[in-house]
Amino acid sequence: MLKDMPRTPENMKTVRNLRMPLYAAAGLAAVLCAPLTGQTPAAGHSPAPGEAQLATITTYCTDCHNNVSKTAGVSFDGITPASIAQNPELFEKAVRKLRGRVMPPPGNEQPDSKAVDALVAYLEGSLDKLPEPQHISDKEVLHRLNREEYQNAVHDLLLVDVNAAELLPPDDTAQGFDNIASALQVSPSFIEQYVHAAHNIAVEAMGKPDARPQGWSFKAGPGSQLTHVPGLPLGTRGGILAKVDLPADGEYRINIADMATHIWGNGMEYENPLVVTVDNKIVYQTVIGGEEDMKLYDQVQNGALDRVNARLKNIKFETTAGPHDIGVAFRRQSFAESDDQLQIFEPGGGQDRSYRVNSFQLLGPFDVKGLSATPSRNLILTCDPDKDKTKSPEVCARQIFANLARRAYRRPATNDDITELMQYYYDGAKQGGLRSPGSQGESSSSFESGIREGVTGILASPFFLYRGQRVPAGLKPGDKYQITDLELASKLSFFLWNSIPDEELVDVASKNKLSEPATLEREVKRMLADPRSKTLASNFVFQWLEMKRLDDVVPDRDVFPYASGRMDPRQDFKTELALFADSIFRADRNIVDLLSASHTYLNERLALQYGITDVKGDEFRRVELKDSARWGLLGKGAFLMAAAYPNRTSPVLRGKAILVYLEGVPPANPPPNVPTLDDKDIGTTKALTVRQLMAKHRASPACSSCHAIMDPLGFALENFDATGMWRDKDRFANTAIDSAGELPDGSMVNGPDDLRKALLKKPEQFVQTFTEALLTYAMGREREYYDMPTVRKIVREAAAKDYKFSSIVLAVVNSDQFKMRRVPQPAPAANKQVASK
């Protein structure tokens, strides 16, 4: 009997051979389940629905996934169509593996492509028909604003630019995203930091007439500072443009970092005219270098450096409170080819005799002279009792708080809201002499102090810091309900703008019209066209592709001198990726164009990194790429460098990145204690290529199955070094780069063009992966197996609309996951055990 045979690989191969009777009527081969029960099919037997597809699993998967071996804890013995409904989570995992062609593992006997496609279609169709109410959440989780949302919300509410990373603790992430409600926990120290941040922001928004001197430091980004910096006056080169919100009118001072740093006067031969500007108006200018400074070195010697650098210190100017652009730059001059004996490593040449502004410090205010009107004050103080004598300070305060709370709380303010904020107002106004609510004769300073405290209360309120949905009355546990229009507006704005709703959105929601299909579609398209939707590119895309790893990959100066230090390309890579993704989204293009688009955005530094020599200046501009190897995400420096090490490429990391972020097929976790390439004994002192190093690393059977999937994907990008620069030869091993490989489906690839074509053969796979990430980001909760039917439905509907970005966004917004909730159900009562006495 077959069922009594030991399940060795040899016996299982024999079993497979015995399981292949021919279905003449159907004209296809199918494996019967009869061998599992020791029975043979009756004459004229017609396969039941799904039997032929499930036979593929029986034939090719049960060698490992059987009741004896139970590899990964999974057994497919005795599988039937009913098994799918009994364990949908398992079969969603199976579908993912099959779609990515990572199961059966490479090296094992493989079913043909049509059989796999038929099996995937059957499993997905079966899973999509299952009644799964879990995709509509019933969890009561308050959703805290993360740092990015907080920062954007403060700007949109008060027109104050803050760096939330300096004010608030880091956010935890789940599935790569930092807006997952369950991961955004709060501790007592969090609360203290939020209250402290609220106070500081309120002071910055309102200004402070008794402000004490403080300091701000500004550092230059990477680059040589040979070209114009956007935002600084025309006719300047290099320098730093700092945007700062000043607390009061008065005198401020600037100290610029030393430029004369060499006791032998290196670089002092030529004049470097320097200017300091406030809102593009020159407030100070001097010259560093030139004949007079050379004389100081020749004649004075001791103290010459201090006398030159003294011109960069204690630069005084007067200005008003509010936002200002402070610039320190050089007047642009012509410059000649370097006369140094050795060429500098930096692409495009180095600083040579032209100086660079490394940093400067701003101090003040000194001699405070009051508070001028600022955009933030004008936005907040919509009612002024000094100007409108018909209104008391208390009436004005109520009007101001009602206006701000409506925006901050994402709903009309209630009487209880205003009453609470007025308590903040009275506490703040006491310092001005206010004795009781409604008293007259209040000074302007006490009124503004009260408003400042009220703004602090708004920013520290749970209604500002948290989002949630209220359960309607009269529903039973487990009942479904649609979130309110105001809740929908809030959810929509944090999805598309990463910030609070604007007045138009709140107004539509207050009239209960947002949930109307035509209105909702109109608002979504309006919001996508708004500049604030750029956060989908700069925030969502960065988290989907896990660009935070880019911060950890600091280029090794010894290996990549042309891409380290001042020429570190990582910030430029981030800018390029954000502009590229935004261009696809904003033009409402087919989302697959993220893989195939032939344009990008470059400045001179990045263009030189890509081998392009006709782009000049620091400003990014759209460039049509002649080299197809750079098309789409596969050619972007950010994607390539985030999946590398500081000193070398990593086919494993790049292959994994493609599997996870582009194909949605995470590989299995590596076995424990796997040594790195550098730790292994390679048995030679000769420089080896990464491919040669990897050959021994993946020789172990425990490693080979996964590496056979990841490595060909990564090796196809091996012509790009760890910094994303193209190379034809490994300069250490002095051998040509070998980028050839065989993908799990048997197709051969050799380079990024072949790899891109292989991915584009199944565009729906990439669209599904993108949609999974976008749905997770929009829901604000972890994606689960029961969300996959919705994902597939969105992909099918988007296919009819050429996978346009807006069609996917609208489908996500109209999904049950986004708009619906379930009434929480009580947890099952724990079994009580009564101890016998």
Side-chain angles (χ1 to χ4, degrees):
M1 299 291 288
L2 293 176
K3 67 177 182 179
D4 298 324
M5 293 175 64
R7 286 186 178 269
T8 64
E10 294 78 9
N11 287 341
M12 290 309 298
K13 186 172 182 179
T14 302
V15 170
R16 283 198 301 271
N17 292 334
L18 295 173
R19 289 177 179 172
M20 298 297 293
L22 181 65
Y23 282 120
L28 52 85
V31 180
L32 301 178
C33 296
L36 295 174
T37 60
Q39 298 177 358
T40 57
H45 169 75
S46 297
E51 186 176 331
Q53 289 81 10
L54 294 180
T56 302
I57 294 179
T58 305
T59 304
Y60 295 97
C61 303
T62 53
D63 283 10
C64 299
H65 300 295
N66 54 66
N67 290 336
V68 177
S69 302
K70 275 199 173 181
T71 302
V74 175
S75 172
F76 288 124
D77 276 347
I79 185 173
T80 67
S83 305
I84 301 173
Q86 294 165 3
N87 197 345
E89 184 174 7
L90 170 63
F91 284 94
E92 286 290 0
K93 292 179 181 178
V95 165
R96 192 177 294 275
K97 299 286 187 182
L98 289 166
R99 268 189 168 275
R101 300 300 195 265
V102 298
M103 286 292 171
N108 290 29
E109 187 177 357
Q110 300 288 324
D112 63 58
S113 183
K114 290 183 179 179
V116 176
D117 290 342
L119 176 59
V120 168
Y122 171 74
L123 290 177
E124 289 183 341
S126 301
L127 290 164
D128 291 347
K129 294 175 184 176
L130 297 179
E132 284 287 348
Q134 294 119 305
H135 72 280
I136 301 177
S137 177
D138 66 347
K139 294 182 174 61
E140 292 183 292
V141 180
L142 286 176
H143 199 154
R144 174 174 62 80
L145 302 190
N146 63 26
R147 293 197 302 191
E148 190 76 19
E149 292 168 338
Y150 184 91
Q151 179 174 299
N152 293 337
V154 165
H155 175 269
D156 290 348
L157 180 66
L158 302 174
L159 295 181
V160 173
D161 290 318
V162 299
N163 185 351
E166 296 177 354
L167 297 173
L168 303 173
D171 297 311
D172 292 328
T173 63
Q175 294 184 340
F177 293 99
D178 63 5
N179 68 338
I180 305 300
S182 58
L184 294 171
Q185 301 299 317
V186 175
S187 65
S189 63
F190 268 54
I191 296 173
E192 184 177 346
Q193 286 174 282
Y194 272 103
V195 172
H196 185 66
H199 172 74
N200 289 343
I201 293 168
V203 170
E204 188 168 345
M206 290 292 296
K208 199 171 184 182
D210 58 347
R212 297 179 180 179
Q214 56 184 297
W216 300 263
S217 295
F218 305 97
K219 294 183 178 180
S224 60
Q225 296 196 0
L226 294 177
T227 56
H228 176 255
V229 173
L232 286 173
L234 295 176
T236 62
R237 70 156 182 89
I240 300 173
L241 176 64
K243 296 182 179 294
V244 61
D245 233 320
L246 301 179
D249 304 349
E251 179 187 286
Y252 292 83
R253 300 171 190 172
I254 285 178
N255 293 316
I256 304 171
D258 291 351
M259 294 184 185
T261 57
H262 301 285
I263 59 173
W264 51 86
N266 183 37
M268 300 295 290
E269 302 97 318
Y270 307 108
E271 292 186 352
N272 287 265
L274 179 136
V275 295
V276 176
T277 63
V278 177
D279 299 326
N280 279 350
K281 294 181 180 178
I282 296 176
V283 296
Y284 177 79
Q285 52 188 324
T286 188
V287 175
I288 303 296
E291 185 177 355
E292 293 301 317
D293 286 345
M294 288 300 294
K295 287 181 180 179
L296 284 176
Y297 278 90
D298 294 340
Q299 299 172 9
V300 178
Q301 295 183 357
N302 187 31
L305 271 70
D306 295 336
R307 291 173 64 172
V308 173
N309 289 324
R311 300 174 208 152
L312 306 174
K313 304 297 188 282
N314 204 31
I315 300 168
K316 301 178 181 180
F317 63 93
E318 290 193 356
T319 191
T320 58
H324 292 281
D325 292 340
I326 311 294
V328 179
F330 297 98
R331 290 185 183 275
R332 179 150 192 164
Q333 296 175 302
S334 61
F335 52 90
E337 185 78 15
S338 169
D339 56 7
D340 282 344
Q341 292 180 337
L342 297 177
Q343 182 180 358
I344 199 163
F345 280 119
E346 297 172 359
Q351 198 70 13
D352 202 22
R353 301 301 190 268
S354 297
Y355 277 117
R356 176 179 205 277
V357 181
N358 289 314
S359 64
F360 75 85
Q361 184 183 46
L362 174 66
L363 302 172
F366 302 95
D367 188 22
V368 176
K369 297 180 179 178
L371 282 174
S372 298
T374 69
S376 295
R377 286 174 58 83
N378 293 340
L379 180 67
I380 296 169
L381 299 174
T382 53
C383 181
D384 188 344
D386 287 342
K387 295 179 180 178
D388 187 351
K389 300 300 182 182
T390 63
K391 294 182 179 178
S392 68
E394 185 183 63
V395 170
C396 272
R398 288 181 174 274
Q399 181 178 322
I400 289 170
F401 293 151
N403 180 52
L404 290 176
R406 172 184 167 88
R407 292 285 315 284
Y409 300 167
R410 286 86 70 183
R411 56 170 174 74
T414 65
N415 289 332
D416 288 343
D417 294 331
I418 303 303
T419 299
E420 180 181 357
L421 294 174
M422 288 304 294
Q423 291 301 317
Y424 284 95
Y425 170 80
Y426 296 135
D427 290 342
K430 282 180 182 178
Q431 61 184 350
L434 181 62
R435 296 181 180 179
S436 62
S439 63
Q440 302 298 315
E442 210 176 318
S443 69
S444 175
S445 62
S446 67
F447 172 74
E448 291 198 7
S449 295
I451 297 298
R452 186 183 302 115
E453 288 303 307
V455 172
T456 301
I458 289 173
L459 296 178
S461 170
F463 298 121
F464 173 67
L465 297 174
Y466 290 90
R467 312 198 305 271
Q469 289 84 37
R470 297 184 180 181
V471 178
L475 297 181
K476 303 186 298 295
D479 284 352
K480 296 189 297 184
Y481 65 93
Q482 186 167 313
I483 61 176
T484 68
D485 281 42
L486 285 167
E487 292 166 348
L488 179 61
S490 181
K491 196 171 181 67
L492 197 60
S493 67
F494 280 103
F495 170 33
L496 300 181
W497 288 347
N498 215 24
S499 185
I500 57 176
D502 61 2
E503 277 293 341
E504 181 174 343
L505 192 59
V506 173
D507 193 49
V508 171
S510 298
K511 297 174 183 176
N512 294 322
K513 296 204 175 276
L514 183 59
S515 55
E516 296 175 0
T519 304
L520 181 59
E521 181 174 350
R522 185 183 68 246
E523 285 299 304
V524 168
K525 290 184 175 179
R526 176 184 73 85
M527 295 174 74
L528 287 175
D530 191 282
R532 282 171 285 189
S533 68
K534 66 183 180 183
T535 59
L536 287 168
S538 62
N539 197 43
F540 160 68
V541 169
F542 277 46
Q543 295 189 65
W544 161 41
L545 299 177
E546 202 175 348
M547 284 296 107
K548 65 180 180 180
R549 177 173 160 74
L550 201 58
D551 296 329
D552 301 327
V553 186
V554 182
D556 189 319
R557 185 183 294 270
D558 293 331
V559 182
F560 304 111
Y562 52 82
S564 57
R566 292 178 182 174
M567 295 306 294
D568 188 335
R570 288 178 295 168
Q571 187 55 52
D572 287 340
F573 283 159
K574 291 179 181 179
T575 303
E576 177 199 19
L577 179 60
L579 291 172
F580 171 71
D582 187 62
S583 70
I584 301 295
F585 297 165
R586 204 161 292 282
D588 199 19
R589 292 175 60 167
N590 185 321
I591 212 65
V592 181
D593 287 349
L594 285 170
L595 289 179
S596 60
S598 61
H599 73 278
T600 192
Y601 290 80
L602 305 174
N603 62 5
E604 184 175 4
R605 288 190 304 274
L606 200 49
L608 291 171
Q609 181 79 2
Y610 287 179
I612 299 171
T613 58
D614 57 355
V615 175
K616 303 298 179 183
D618 287 343
E619 190 170 354
F620 279 80
R621 78 293 310 264
R622 182 172 173 139
V623 176
E624 288 297 323
L625 297 166
K626 299 175 183 178
D627 182 4
S628 58
R630 288 286 179 189
W631 292 1
L633 290 173
L634 295 179
K636 298 293 172 284
F639 185 82
L640 295 164
M641 195 171 180
Y645 290 113
N647 61 349
R648 66 169 176 85
T649 59
S650 172
V652 175
L653 292 181
R654 286 178 176 174
K656 179 182 177 182
I658 293 168
L659 280 174
V660 174
Y661 309 125
L662 306 186
E663 295 194 86
V665 188
N669 292 324
N673 304 318
V674 176
T676 65
L677 294 186
D678 297 331
D679 293 333
K680 294 181 73 67
D681 177 17
I682 59 177
T684 179
T685 57
K686 179 184 176 182
L688 301 179
T689 65
V690 173
R691 182 181 286 273
Q692 290 168 329
L693 291 170
M694 288 295 303
K696 184 174 182 180
H697 182 74
R698 62 179 181 175
S700 167
C703 302
S704 60
S705 60
C706 286
H707 278 286
I709 298 167
M710 293 186 292
D711 292 0
L713 298 170
F715 278 125
L717 302 176
E718 186 64 11
N719 282 104
F720 297 112
D721 71 13
T723 67
M725 182 176 282
W726 183 268
R727 58 190 179 154
D728 293 312
K729 179 183 289 189
D730 187 310
R731 57 192 170 96
F732 296 106
N734 197 31
T735 59
I737 297 295
D738 180 4
S739 59
E742 182 180 356
L743 299 183
D745 64 0
S747 58
M748 302 299 296
V749 294
N750 190 356
D753 286 337
D754 286 351
L755 177 58
R756 186 185 312 105
K757 291 174 184 176
L759 295 174
L760 292 175
K761 286 180 181 178
K762 293 190 174 181
E764 72 282 355
Q765 182 73 20
F766 173 74
V767 176
Q768 177 169 306
T769 305
F770 176 87
T771 303
E772 286 182 54
L774 190 67
L775 181 64
T776 305
Y777 182 77
M779 292 188 301
R781 68 164 171 81
E782 291 187 74
R783 181 180 64 256
E784 301 289 350
Y785 72 92
Y786 42 73
D787 294 311
M788 289 309 298
T790 298
V791 171
R792 289 189 285 268
K793 179 174 181 287
I794 292 173
V795 173
R796 288 193 298 269
E797 293 175 352
K801 300 177 181 178
D802 196 29
Y803 296 129
K804 287 187 179 296
F805 176 62
S806 64
S807 69
I808 297 176
V809 171
L810 282 166
V812 167
V813 169
N814 282 296
S815 67
D816 286 347
Q817 283 91 333
F818 196 83
K819 295 170 62 176
M820 302 294 293
R821 286 291 180 273
R822 282 189 300 140
V823 179
Q825 302 182 68
N831 294 329
K832 296 182 180 180
Q833 296 181 352
V834 180
S836 57
K837 295 183 180 180

